[in-house]
Amino acid sequence: MARSEGAGVETQSHGREFVRSFLFSVKIDSPLARLHVVTKLLAVLAVSLVIVRFIRTDAPDPVGAILLIALAFLGLYLSGVLRWVFHSYLLVLFPALLGMAVMWVIFNPVGPDENVLLRIPVYSGTISLGISLRLVIFVAFVVGWYVVRKGVFWGIFGGLALAAVVTALVGNPSLTLAEFSFFHPLAITVSENNLVIAVTKTLGYGAMIFVSLMLVMTSRDIEVTGTMMQLRVPYVVSFFVSTMLRSLSMALTDYSTIRQAQIARGISLKKKNMLQVIADLAYMAVPLIATMLRRSSEVGDAVLIRGFSMQTKNPTEFHEIRPFTLVDWIVLGVCALFIISVFAWGLNITQMMGMTL
Amino acid sequence: MSTMVKVENLHWRYPSFGELADNPWTLKGIDLEIERGEFFGIAGPSGAGKTTTCKAIVGVIPHGLKIPFRFYNHHLQGSVWVDGELVTGVDPEGNVVDGQARGKLLGKGIISPQAGMVMQDPETQFLKMSLLHEVAFGLQLLKLPQDEIEVRVREALEMVGLGFLISDAEYIHPNDLSGGQKQRVAIASFLAMRPELLILDEPTSDLDPRGKSEVIETVRMLRDRHNVTVILVEQDPEILHRFCDRIALIDDGKVHLVERASEFYRRVDVLEGCGVYKFEVSEIASRADIQHGGVVPISIEECATCFPKYLDGTLQPEDPDPQGEVLLEVRDLEYVYEDGTQALQGVSFELHKGEVLALLGTNGSGKTTVAKILNGIYRPSAGVVRMLGRDITRRSVRRQLPKHVGYVFQNPDHQIFTRKVREEVAYGLRNLEVPENEMEERVLQALEAVGLADQPDEDPLFLGKGQRQRLAVASILAMQPEIIIVDEPTTGQDYRMVCGIMELLEDLHRQGNTVLIITHNMTLVANYCQRVVVLLDGRDIFTGTSRELFSNPDNITATQLRAPQAISLSVAMREGNEKFPLLLNTMEWVRALEEHSRA
């Protein structure tokens, strides 16, 4: 223990600020980088469990969700990785979460005595067969666009827009030939309750994603091997895992070079549809597998020459194992308390603050 | 002196696991005796069995391999001894199954940590996720106490010149290190284990000339201080000659020659027959039939005494200014990586139609970054790059760049996407939407240009490395770009393959292609590149002809490069005669000497 503390002091004096983690890199001295990886893993599980409770439809806890997402952002900020999240993940995450929110607002059932904020009828319950100005404009535009530009998407889009504009200006004279009822009338209903649930769920899932990102962005591969040693996993197994992680990192480097080589061969010169893009990805398998195969036998030899064999047991531990510190226990204690108060005592921060739905 | 390594009549055949017929013998009776404390060199072409011999000495072959049915007699003959102990041997009468002797494997097996072996690719040898753990790994396996490991890691890193990284070693990921640094780390990992025998299998192929000498210098210092026996497999005659005591020539699984380093390179006839590098001056001398005291000269000093001292200055060929239109104009180009590293801080040069321009510089000087910008993979951070007059900082122009600039990557394995030679060349053309009938023709043309037209249906994965590289060139050539960039085409290749690549480049030039070569091979530059641009720390520090670069010692010092022997010889001759022509390469020398003797 004394040694590890000594090593800890030494890390204070290094010149590097960041170290590579599973994803991007992390500030070496940040609180999250100093937590034990097991603590972090358990904390992520605890937070996810709590969130599952927070987003229940019968008693949502939006304030709790906001609190957790703020906590996740704080953690990411302290580890110096928030910038990376914004840089590369928010662009994907934001539309995804927004999409989820819209779904929950629209498709959750609305109780009879709920406070409805907005109701938009979308289907009257009858189908009419006939012809109208709107239909004529739409069809004409789509067909015309296809003939001239050989495209469909913008034709439909433009047709809808043009039809909407024209009928708004001159009305929509129509001739109904027949009419019959089918299904029941449909409407998009936004109730206050659904809105709250949607917000809570979105924030809750957001928090889960950010907390998981926090785990992979602040943990290093070396910690995994160290933990396996701590857990007394046979060395051959932990060595296999560590070699696998290293090979994965080599494969990722290869991947980016191969991708560049593909661009050099003109892969992005023409617009491609989804299938062609997938085909291009499939082509990458050939060089990727070829490189990995050629490498694997060399890695095997390198391992043997260094003196490793299947019989190797208990090598000296060297800056791999990280002791479980007081801070780790405190974090785990807080997580446990949190889970107990939410599940056993029904803690709901929103209700606690006196806000009811 | 005692014998450290003794290899006796070693035969080895790799196991084959397919339905295919038996592999041929890779080693066909290797005999070697290496003294303790000797610095022993091994030269030979690719596929000669050099690496296999080294692996057999450390015992990975056969002890690290599974032999089908333990049929050792089928794969192994002879013996390997290290420091008087049997590492590998086979008792042909042993292991009798069904009345047939399959051979019994003898010997102590893999001799770690007594012997260490640094292999070619520094990337695959990096087994751990941090510099500290990489160097410590072998020591951990040896179960040394932690303090001892700490001391040895520090010592080993200092020995290979990476001492400045110690305080951060725990946090340095392999990707944070350059190729050259990784090669030093690979050596340090074995030095830490304090081996008695250190084998280096072409450990410096990725390094620039200066880095290469530095690394080998370190190893020699170790030999001098700790009496470590060193075996160095290498292609470069200057390195082998400078550092080794004796050199062996291995070809086709047999030892053809073992000779003191001072004499080895005089045996031009044997070297020629096996297709390995000779000294440039030896080549010139033997082609012009000049001898130094009855033997082939190998150094500039020797040549200075036996070569004609008064060659006519008019024998120096003219270096015409580039004539073609400017295809590419680079002005004050800068590039900053995402992590803030400033890779380029002001690079300017021009590329003219039809010329072969070399982009030179030490490891990490920014050559590849420039190439990737020209190909549209990276976007310039600042500065102007005009391709055919169009500014490539504009996204629309950059997107179209692969049409105009072909980029042949260093490792052919990274750029072969299909399982048929013909398909491979067509792959790029499909992306260019070349019509089917025209495609056929362009594919054939490209394959003919690189000499692969006779095997259009072969699976590229089964081609040799040289052929795969040719295929990579053909695939770019077929796209008919205005400019072809070739990145490090000669790395890790033997003399014959390098000659093949040089011929190919010469052909491309003759066909009117514009080529930009990135390389550490100065002979290639002197032979085929009219002009050179040298980068240092992300800036261009020299632009001019190859002759200007190599004939001026100040330029050589400033650019941290090394002049090829042929031009160095002309410079040396000039000291006695100011009018002596500055002859750049072997071809110019041979021509000048012929004219001289005719006159």
Side-chain angles (χ1 to χ4, degrees):
Chain A
M1 203 65 145
R3 264 201 69 79
S4 320
E5 276 164 20
V9 172
E10 209 178 81
T11 58
Q12 303 270 321
S13 63
H14 54 72
R16 288 176 83 86
E17 208 183 335
F18 282 84
V19 60
R20 272 173 210 259
S21 54
F22 280 115
L23 251 188
F24 305 122
S25 37
V26 58
K27 248 191 198 149
I28 295 172
D29 284 333
S30 64
L32 276 174
R34 283 156 167 262
L35 272 189
H36 198 283
V37 69
V38 172
T39 313
K40 281 188 271 190
L41 186 67
L42 291 176
V44 168
L45 289 176
V47 168
S48 305
L49 264 179
V50 167
I51 288 170
V52 169
R53 185 73 173 200
F54 277 181
I55 60 179
R56 277 195 329 185
T57 24
D58 54 342
D61 188 350
V63 178
I66 290 172
L67 211 68
L68 284 180
I69 207 164
L71 210 67
F73 275 131
L74 182 72
L76 288 168
Y77 172 74
L78 288 177
S79 328
V81 295
L82 193 58
R83 183 168 61 98
W84 289 112
V85 176
F86 272 97
H87 210 224
S88 42
Y89 280 86
L90 235 48
L91 210 69
V92 184
L93 285 178
F94 188 71
L97 289 175
L98 195 72
M100 283 187 346
V102 171
M103 297 295 268
W104 278 310
V105 168
I106 295 173
F107 291 108
N108 263 338
V110 180
D113 51 351
E114 274 181 31
N115 188 4
V116 171
L117 300 175
L118 180 70
R119 186 187 291 274
I120 309 167
V122 284
Y123 172 60
S124 62
T126 55
I127 292 177
S128 7
L129 290 178
I131 191 160
S132 68
L133 180 62
R134 188 182 291 163
L135 186 69
V136 170
I137 292 173
F138 176 70
V139 170
F141 191 88
V142 171
V143 170
W145 186 268
Y146 184 78
V147 168
V148 180
R149 304 296 298 265
K150 296 277 173 258
V152 175
F153 178 79
W154 288 109
I156 294 175
F157 190 80
L160 283 175
L162 187 67
V165 170
V166 173
T167 49
L169 289 175
V170 300
N172 185 24
S174 55
L175 177 66
T176 306
L177 301 175
E179 198 174 71
F180 56 91
S181 44
F182 177 77
F183 210 56
H184 58 76
L186 287 174
I188 293 175
T189 316
V190 179
S191 74
E192 196 181 299
N193 192 30
N194 279 356
L195 207 58
V196 171
I197 291 172
V199 167
T200 316
K201 280 197 172 188
T202 310
L203 291 177
Y205 282 113
M208 267 193 212
I209 294 168
F210 289 121
V211 166
S212 316
L213 271 179
M214 199 159 76
L215 175 71
V216 287
M217 288 178 124
T218 62
S219 305
R220 300 172 57 200
D221 344 52
I222 202 89
E223 292 175 55
V224 175
T225 15
T227 306
M228 289 176 94
M229 285 171 103
Q230 266 173 320
L231 296 174
R232 308 225 172 274
V233 173
Y235 184 68
V236 176
V237 177
S238 73
F239 179 73
F240 174 75
V241 171
S242 109
T243 311
M244 211 178 63
L245 288 173
R246 171 74 188 116
S247 310
L248 203 68
S249 131
M250 274 193 264
L252 282 177
T253 317
D254 285 333
Y255 172 85
S256 64
T257 314
I258 290 168
R259 184 74 201 155
Q260 291 176 354
Q262 232 180 1
I263 293 172
R265 295 283 284 282
I267 193 176
S268 46
L269 281 178
K270 60 173 180 185
K271 282 228 172 83
K272 293 189 169 176
N273 62 32
M274 205 57 195
L275 275 179
Q276 287 168 315
V277 170
I278 291 171
D280 282 336
L281 278 177
Y283 272 118
M284 293 183 80
V286 174
L288 210 53
I289 291 171
T291 345
M292 269 155 98
L293 281 181
R294 279 187 220 279
R295 282 216 163 129
S296 64
S297 70
E298 271 190 51
V299 171
D301 286 342
V303 166
L304 291 174
I305 297 171
R306 215 67 88 71
F308 177 87
S309 77
M310 291 305 277
Q311 283 75 45
T312 306
K313 282 197 188 80
N314 308 322
T316 314
E317 188 280 317
F318 188 67
H319 294 276
E320 279 163 329
I321 292 182
R322 180 189 291 244
F324 227 67
T325 61
L326 186 62
V327 180
D328 287 300
W329 289 115
I330 292 173
V331 170
L332 285 184
V334 170
C335 287
L337 195 71
F338 207 26
I339 288 187
I340 293 170
S341 46
V342 168
F343 280 87
W345 305 334
L347 173 78
N348 185 319
I349 302 170
T350 314
Q351 286 169 9
M352 220 170 71
M353 289 171 71
M355 286 185 263
T356 44
L357 297 175
Chain B
M1 269 210 181
S2 60
T3 303
M4 184 68 190
V5 178
K6 189 169 165 197
V7 181
E8 270 183 331
N9 191 31
L10 185 67
H11 284 69
W12 169 253
R13 188 207 309 264
Y14 281 97
S16 69
F17 294 96
E19 297 282 309
L20 301 163
D22 273 329
N23 282 326
W25 290 96
T26 305
L27 303 183
K28 303 171 179 171
I30 295 274
D31 286 295
L32 281 176
E33 246 190 272
I34 300 166
E35 301 292 324
R36 179 181 292 277
E38 190 172 11
F39 203 119
F40 192 83
I42 295 180
S46 294
K50 306 187 297 290
T51 301
T52 309
T53 305
C54 293
K55 284 184 181 166
I57 293 173
V58 292
V60 169
I61 288 176
H63 299 276
L65 287 171
K66 282 230 169 0
I67 304 293
F69 310 110
R70 297 177 167 270
F71 212 134
Y72 289 102
N73 281 344
H74 195 64
H75 296 275
L76 181 69
Q77 287 168 31
S79 60
V80 176
W81 301 75
V82 173
D83 202 14
E85 265 190 290
L86 183 68
V87 173
T88 300
V90 64
D91 168 16
E93 308 300 327
N95 186 18
V96 180
V97 179
D98 300 334
Q100 189 190 24
R102 294 184 167 181
K104 185 169 184 279
L105 185 63
L106 308 171
K108 66 185 261 191
I110 300 167
I111 46 169
S112 172
Q114 197 185 6
M117 178 172 165
V118 180
M119 297 187 288
Q120 280 182 32
D121 183 356
E123 187 74 38
T124 48
Q125 291 176 78
F126 213 115
L127 303 170
K128 293 289 180 170
M129 283 301 201
S130 84
L131 172 58
L132 182 76
H133 293 100
E134 178 65 15
V135 183
F137 176 52
L139 308 174
Q140 290 176 276
L141 294 179
L142 289 174
K143 302 189 188 187
L144 296 178
Q146 288 183 338
D147 317 347
E148 175 76 11
I149 297 182
E150 199 99 52
V151 171
R152 287 211 197 178
V153 169
R154 185 176 291 267
E155 196 184 83
L157 284 177
E158 268 164 9
M159 279 195 259
V160 296
L162 294 178
F164 66 101
L165 293 176
I166 288 171
S167 59
D168 287 336
E170 194 181 345
Y171 301 105
I172 294 176
H173 189 273
N175 290 0
D176 295 334
L177 298 167
S178 70
Q181 285 175 326
K182 268 181 224 162
Q183 258 162 339
R184 286 164 200 250
V185 173
I187 294 174
S189 311
F190 287 107
L191 293 186
M193 292 161 79
R194 300 197 180 145
E196 292 170 50
L197 170 66
L198 184 61
I199 301 179
L200 306 163
D201 185 5
E202 300 195 35
T204 57
S205 47
D206 265 341
L207 292 185
D208 55 57
R210 184 168 292 202
K212 206 168 173 171
S213 298
E214 271 174 22
V215 167
I216 309 288
E217 190 80 59
T218 312
V219 176
R220 185 163 70 176
M221 190 192 71
L222 283 169
R223 191 279 301 262
D224 295 347
R225 264 195 218 157
H226 304 288
N227 204 30
V228 180
T229 311
V230 180
I231 300 177
L232 171 67
V233 180
E234 178 57 65
Q235 303 280 356
D236 187 342
E238 255 164 77
I239 293 279
L240 283 174
H241 178 255
R242 185 163 140 212
F243 292 103
C244 295
D245 301 313
R246 286 188 305 153
I247 306 169
L249 172 61
I250 294 183
D251 186 20
D252 194 27
K254 279 179 286 221
V255 179
H256 285 243
L257 177 70
V258 181
E259 189 63 89
R260 277 177 298 130
S262 55
E263 300 304 312
F264 183 83
Y265 282 102
R266 296 194 200 280
R267 304 287 294 273
V268 176
D269 47 338
V270 187
L271 301 179
E272 182 83 52
C274 295
V276 297
Y277 280 101
K278 303 170 282 289
F279 277 110
E280 282 181 14
V281 292
S282 318
E283 175 133 25
I284 299 168
S286 55
R287 285 185 39 194
D289 226 354
I290 298 174
Q291 291 208 326
H292 171 75
V295 293
V296 178
I298 53 174
S299 68
I300 291 172
E301 294 74 33
E302 286 174 0
C303 289
T305 61
C306 62
F307 272 49
K309 292 191 178 48
Y310 296 98
L311 287 192
D312 189 354
T314 56
L315 289 173
Q316 176 178 327
E318 293 275 315
D319 288 321
D321 285 335
Q323 296 295 319
E325 56 170 314
V326 176
L327 285 186
L328 171 73
E329 184 194 354
V330 179
R331 283 280 156 270
D332 306 317
L333 177 62
E334 289 180 27
Y335 185 76
V336 184
Y337 277 102
E338 239 180 14
D339 64 358
T341 320
Q342 177 120 24
L344 301 180
Q345 25 198 345
V347 171
S348 306
F349 65 92
E350 280 172 356
L351 183 61
H352 298 260
K353 193 174 169 60
E355 77 171 333
V356 179
L357 179 79
L359 193 57
L360 309 178
T362 54
N363 289 109
S365 57
K367 307 181 296 288
T368 298
T369 310
V370 169
K372 287 187 174 168
I373 287 174
L374 299 184
N375 189 242
I377 293 169
Y378 297 156
R379 183 183 185 280
S381 306
V384 182
V385 180
R386 283 205 191 84
M387 181 75 61
L388 304 164
R390 276 168 296 182
D391 183 2
I392 71 160
T393 40
R394 284 178 42 212
R395 196 182 143 77
S396 56
V397 177
R398 210 165 56 246
R399 260 183 96 91
Q400 297 301 315
L401 272 181
K403 241 185 227 172
H404 307 290
V405 184
Y407 185 11
V408 183
F409 282 68
Q410 187 176 350
N411 184 349
D413 289 340
H414 283 147
Q415 46 192 326
I416 290 177
F417 296 98
T418 66
R419 301 294 302 275
K420 231 183 211 180
V421 165
R422 182 205 302 270
E423 277 301 302
E424 184 57 32
V425 181
Y427 180 67
L429 301 182
R430 297 233 153 81
N431 289 324
L432 291 179
E433 295 181 297
V434 172
E436 212 51 51
N437 50 350
E438 191 190 329
M439 184 159 355
E440 188 96 348
E441 197 180 315
R442 272 164 80 163
V443 168
L444 275 179
Q445 250 174 17
L447 285 177
E448 240 152 52
V450 301
L452 281 175
D454 53 334
Q455 36 195 349
D457 295 315
E458 186 63 54
D459 185 337
L461 296 183
F462 295 123
L463 294 176
K465 186 170 181 198
Q467 285 178 313
R468 275 181 279 144
Q469 198 142 25
R470 283 167 170 273
L471 178 59
V473 173
S475 310
I476 291 299
L477 205 57
M479 293 169 75
Q480 300 179 346
E482 278 92 357
I483 299 169
I484 301 173
I485 301 176
V486 191
D487 196 348
E488 302 277 11
T490 59
T491 298
Q493 308 236 11
D494 70 3
Y495 177 68
R496 284 194 187 125
M497 289 196 266
V498 170
C499 290
I501 289 164
M502 292 204 198
E503 274 165 31
L504 178 60
L505 288 173
E506 177 65 9
D507 285 345
L508 293 181
H509 179 216
R510 213 176 301 127
Q511 290 156 17
N513 290 292
T514 312
V515 184
L516 180 70
I517 303 178
I518 299 174
T519 186
H520 288 313
N521 187 330
M522 297 302 140
T523 304
L524 184 144
V525 176
N527 283 354
Y528 299 108
C529 303
Q530 291 82 44
R531 289 198 313 130
V532 291
V533 173
V534 187
L535 304 186
L536 186 69
D537 299 329
R539 277 177 227 281
D540 59 297
I541 55 161
F542 175 87
T543 305
T545 63
S546 312
R547 205 181 306 275
E548 284 161 4
L549 172 68
F550 292 130
S551 62
N552 184 344
D554 295 342
N555 287 340
I556 296 293
T557 317
T559 54
Q560 304 187 8
L561 297 171
R562 197 180 66 178
Q565 236 189 349
I567 177 82
S568 302
L569 177 59
S570 330
V571 174
M573 299 299 275
R574 236 182 202 209
E575 276 170 24
N577 167 18
E578 301 184 344
K579 299 227 171 83
F580 199 91
L582 287 170
L583 301 168
L584 187 55
N585 52 40
T586 315
M587 287 154 323
E588 288 186 8
W589 262 103
V590 171
R591 214 173 298 134
L593 288 171
E594 271 170 11
E595 299 237 338
H596 176 75
S597 59
R598 216 175 292 143

